[in-house]
Amino acid sequence: MTIKTVGIIGAGTMGNGIAQACAVSGLDVVMVDISDAAVAKGLATVSGSLDRLLKKEKITAADKAAALARIKGSTSYDDLKGAQLVIEAATENFELKVKIVKQLDVLLAPEVIVATNTSSISITKLAAVTSRADRFIGMHFFNPVPMMALVEIIRGLQTSDATHAAVHAMATALGKTPITVKNAPGFVVNRILVPMINEAFFVLAEGLATPEDIDAGMKLGCNQPIGPLALADMVGLDVCLAVMDVYLQEFGDSKYRACPLLKEMVAAGRLGRKTGRGVYSY
């Protein structure tokens, strides 16, 4: 199957980023959200992002105009009917995603592929509520989508080889580097990343080094662009804790227990950048 038009559910951070990546690569995009205001905000974000690329001379004014012309904003699911692939990029909530996926299932032609941008929800479980489980797949983009090269392509137990091949080819056409992952909590990147962040909290709690020295050690010793504690502040300490709790529950392995210091800081409301204080003050 050749993918020429992509539907995107959600005009937020991930949705508008995916829309931009698709449009810049020459695909037509229909970006749907629940209100005109949300759609307008998403389109304005794409425009601003393209302006930054224009200033850096990465694209021309004509490229910007052409990309924006390829994105249609809408509040109606009916506008998705011409798409060969629809990517769900709504809030990370299982019930909400089930509702959206069921709506799409009724609306779209049987051959249309449905993908989810979830970073934590089971692809197999979501596929099971559709009548197209073989044409359901995970496409986990990373934030900020226009800049980040990686896409995790997650196969549910039911995902067909043809679906995987079509989505893999499409991700490559976007200029991304796809990696193929089986369905499991946290997939690949977050499964490794979040426990590493948690371990950094154990090191901090044991008083082995200051936050600054822990982050400097990982930046300079492992060539990471940002240290794990600074990254935790950026992601949100509450999010890190929630992910660790999911791993502990799903795998039943004590190695995924959250660090007591992480729990304590979340209880204190020190969630990182979004509250002005986490490991560091902002």
Side-chain angles (χ1 to χ4, degrees), residues 50-51 53-55 57-68:
L50 291 170
D51 277 338
L53 291 173
L54 187 59
K55 275 189 188 132
E57 297 184 351
K58 298 264 174 81
I59 59 168
T60 65
D63 292 335
K64 181 196 167 183
L68 286 174

Side-chain angles (χ1 to χ4, degrees), residues 3-243:
I3 296 166
K4 292 176 180 170
T5 302
V6 178
I8 295 166
I9 310 282
T13 306
M14 296 307 290
N16 68 58
I18 297 166
Q20 178 180 328
C22 291
V24 166
S25 301
L27 296 171
D28 289 322
V29 178
V30 180
M31 183 171 67
V32 176
D33 211 317
I34 50 173
S35 69
D36 288 327
V39 172
K41 191 180 174 190
L43 290 168
T45 303
V46 173
S47 184
S49 177
L50 291 170
D51 277 338
R52 286 192 291 280
L53 291 173
L54 187 59
K55 275 189 188 132
K56 290 177 183 170
E57 297 184 351
K58 298 264 174 81
I59 59 168
T60 65
D63 292 335
K64 181 196 167 183
L68 286 174
R70 287 189 198 105
I71 305 173
K72 176 184 179 177
S74 173
T75 55
S76 169
Y77 274 37
D78 281 345
D79 287 330
L80 298 166
K81 283 181 179 171
Q84 293 82 43
L85 167 70
V86 176
I87 303 170
E88 172 281 312
T91 315
E92 200 69 347
N93 174 299
F94 180 68
E95 285 72 27
L96 174 65
K97 289 188 188 291
V98 165
K99 187 182 157 199
I100 291 169
V101 165
K102 282 183 171 175
Q103 267 178 284
L104 291 174
D105 208 32
V106 174
L107 178 82
L108 302 172
E111 68 276 6
V112 177
I113 296 170
V114 176
T116 174
N117 179 56
T118 183
S119 57
S120 66
I121 295 167
S122 167
I123 307 303
T124 299
K125 223 167 161 181
L126 283 173
V129 306
T130 76
S131 64
R132 65 183 79 223
D134 60 323
R135 287 178 300 290
F136 191 89
I137 198 163
M139 274 190 99
H140 180 213
F141 289 84
F142 288 75
N143 190 20
V145 178
M147 301 296 136
M148 297 289 274
L150 183 67
V151 181
E152 283 182 316
I153 297 180
I154 306 104
R155 297 186 69 144
L157 194 62
Q158 316 92 318
T159 308
S160 72
D161 290 344
T163 297
H164 172 261
V167 170
H168 193 284
M170 179 263 190
T172 306
L174 294 185
K176 303 295 183 194
T177 303
I179 62 169
T180 300
V181 183
K182 284 183 187 169
N183 186 59
F187 311 135
V188 164
V189 175
N190 288 336
R191 166 89 175 266
I192 296 167
L193 178 69
V194 182
M196 184 194 75
I197 288 173
N198 191 51
E199 200 60 34
F201 275 93
F202 274 115
V203 170
L204 180 63
E206 288 165 27
L208 299 185
T210 63
E212 292 81 3
D213 281 355
I214 292 166
D215 279 350
M218 292 305 288
K219 278 164 70 178
L220 302 175
C222 297
N223 213 17
Q224 295 180 351
I226 182 173
L229 298 172
L231 181 59
D233 276 354
M234 207 155 88
V235 170
L237 271 56
D238 52 337
V239 175
C240 295
L241 176 59
V243 172

